[in-house]
Amino acid sequence: MSPYDSDPADRVVGAAADGEDQAVEAALRPKQLDEFIGQERVREQLSLVLQAARQRGTAPDHVLLSGPPGLGKTTLSMIIAAELGAPIRITSGPAIQHAGDLAAILSSLTEGEVLFLDEIHRMSRPAEEMLYLAMEDFRVDVIVGKGPGATAIPLELPPFTLVGATTRAGLLPPPLRDRFGFTGHMEFYAPSELERVVRRSAALLDVEIDPDGAAEIAGRSRGTPRIANRLLRRVRDYAQVRHDGQVSREIAAQALDVYEVDARGLDRLDRAVLDALLRLFGGGPVGLSTLAVAVGEEAETVEEVAEPFLVREGLLARTPRGRIATAAAWQHLGMTPPLQGARGAVPGQSDLFGAAER
């Protein structure tokens, strides 16, 4: 087994929610827009949409929330329902594989109800086409019978609000995107916002934490509240077992070092990719497939799990000839680039253009 082997599903800095995350998030989730931390622009715009709808006494426009996982799309959907005083129905795109599945859900909605459709980009095409009509005209055509004798019976629907969430807005067909009256894009959180998230969650979890401890956790949370809350729980466990339960900057740093999350939020897989890129390939350029073999992972794992954060942090760059490490990567790992490899450590050199290696 490679020393770099890592199961992405077990990453403490992974943004996907597991069963424990979902249970804890239900307890930590804010109930009103005023309690929601961060996403100032989206909150302000959404507040106007909801207030105007309440004043008119009508259902608000359909809402599309896009952005990376863990930033609060599900929380905002529940807040929308709470602000409207309406029930919420929760489902997901992968669960709707046939138009009949969607028709069953839509036909059971009550007036003003909020339908939250997570991962809406993964819904089947027949269901998408049915959703067009439902969103625009509040009706669906139910097909009765088969073959030449099949007939379409229109079924009127009560006014409802669809809240769609997606991590890949570009995969939504334009006719579906155009039917949303409001689109909000969720951005990664600033460290100061994550500090507020950590302090609020610590209070709800009855964890004693000082401002420096909250800042230490926030700085390693990759700009994602879900990761911040998960790291807080791991630090809480460490402080409870090995100390007196109080969380300071020193204790938070010790706890996160145990879980192999460094000061910039990189975990073992991230550092393995950088380490292989620097030590084995002199900073690159190197093809994705070659780099993946070096770290003992699938190319898709390196590309989809490790690279996005490394690129966003300015530690790795993708070029036509392959992946290269930046000067910040050498500095972060405490290494000095070799003379002949230094040119590969800085993006933009003239010799980096050519056919991409896979």
Side-chain angles (χ1 to χ4, degrees):
M1 178 179 293
S2 166
Y4 299 134
D5 283 348
S6 172
D7 183 357
D10 295 334
R11 303 179 81 207
V12 72
V13 291
D18 58 19
E20 182 186 7
D21 288 327
Q22 293 172 356
V24 174
E25 285 174 3
L28 300 180
R29 189 168 277 138
K31 303 300 188 293
Q32 303 294 330
L33 268 179
D34 292 341
E35 301 174 13
F36 190 89
I37 297 172
Q39 311 296 339
E40 300 290 341
R41 182 61 58 86
V42 173
R43 283 199 298 120
E44 180 182 8
Q45 295 171 345
L46 193 55
S47 176
L48 292 173
V49 171
L50 298 179
Q51 289 184 37
R54 286 198 302 266
Q55 291 176 4
R56 292 192 302 266
T58 61
D61 288 337
H62 303 298
V63 175
L64 177 64
L65 301 173
S66 66
L71 299 185
K73 297 184 291 295
T74 300
T75 297
L76 274 182
S77 72
M78 294 185 174
I79 287 177
I80 289 172
E83 294 277 352
L84 295 173
I88 183 171
R89 189 82 57 90
I90 299 177
T91 186
S92 65
I96 301 177
Q97 293 302 312
H98 306 282
D101 300 333
L102 181 61
I105 295 173
L106 293 174
S107 61
S108 63
L109 293 175
T110 59
E111 184 171 354
E113 190 166 356
V114 174
L115 174 61
F116 175 57
L117 189 50
D118 198 11
E119 297 183 274
I120 191 172
H121 62 276
R122 296 178 60 187
M123 190 167 49
S124 68
R125 182 54 59 86
E128 277 181 4
E129 295 173 353
M130 173 176 284
L131 191 58
Y132 298 159
L133 190 61
M135 294 173 67
E136 197 162 24
D137 298 331
F138 296 108
R139 72 181 179 90
V140 294
D141 291 334
V142 179
I143 307 299
V144 177
K146 296 182 179 180
T151 57
I153 301 177
L155 177 63
E156 298 296 327
L157 303 175
F160 68 95
T161 298
L162 174 67
V163 179
T166 177
T167 56
R168 306 182 69 179
L171 295 183
L172 288 179
L176 181 57
R177 278 201 309 268
D178 293 344
R179 284 169 168 79
F180 287 97
F182 172 77
T183 300
H185 180 72
M186 312 285 282
E187 303 284 352
F188 286 104
Y189 280 57
S192 59
E193 294 172 329
L194 285 178
E195 286 182 44
R196 294 167 56 197
V197 170
V198 171
R199 290 198 300 268
R200 177 183 180 276
S201 298
L204 294 174
L205 294 173
D206 198 24
V207 177
E208 294 186 41
I209 186 170
D210 63 29
D212 290 339
E216 185 69 22
I217 295 173
R220 305 190 188 206
S221 298
R222 297 173 174 249
T224 306
R226 176 176 291 153
I227 296 176
N229 286 330
R230 186 184 301 138
L231 295 183
L232 172 63
R233 300 199 305 276
R234 300 290 76 82
V235 171
R236 173 197 60 184
D237 297 343
Y238 179 89
Q240 176 183 332
V241 173
R242 298 192 179 178
H243 296 275
D244 58 1
Q246 297 184 351
V247 178
S248 63
R249 180 184 293 274
E250 181 180 1
I251 291 176
Q254 292 174 2
L256 295 177
D257 286 344
V258 169
Y259 289 101
E260 300 183 284
V261 180
D262 69 20
R264 295 188 67 161
L266 277 65
D267 71 350
R268 182 177 58 174
L269 175 61
D270 301 319
R271 289 192 301 274
V273 171
L274 289 184
D275 186 76
L277 183 56
L278 301 184
R279 294 182 187 277
L280 301 181
F281 305 106
V286 62
L288 173 63
S289 299
T290 303
L291 183 59
V293 169
V295 297
E297 295 285 356
E298 296 292 334
E300 291 78 8
T301 300
V302 173
E303 184 175 29
E304 298 176 9
V305 177
E307 281 191 351
F309 181 68
L310 295 176
V311 171
R312 182 160 62 88
E313 284 291 292
L315 300 172
L316 180 145
R318 296 168 172 170
T319 72
R321 286 190 62 193
R323 275 58 176 169
I324 62 171
T326 66
W330 291 95
Q331 182 179 5
H332 183 65
L333 293 189
M335 300 170 59
T336 301
L339 292 179
Q340 70 266 28
R343 60 194 179 123
V346 181
Q349 299 292 339
S350 60
D351 64 344
L352 296 182
F353 297 90
E357 179 190 352
R358 295 290 297 181

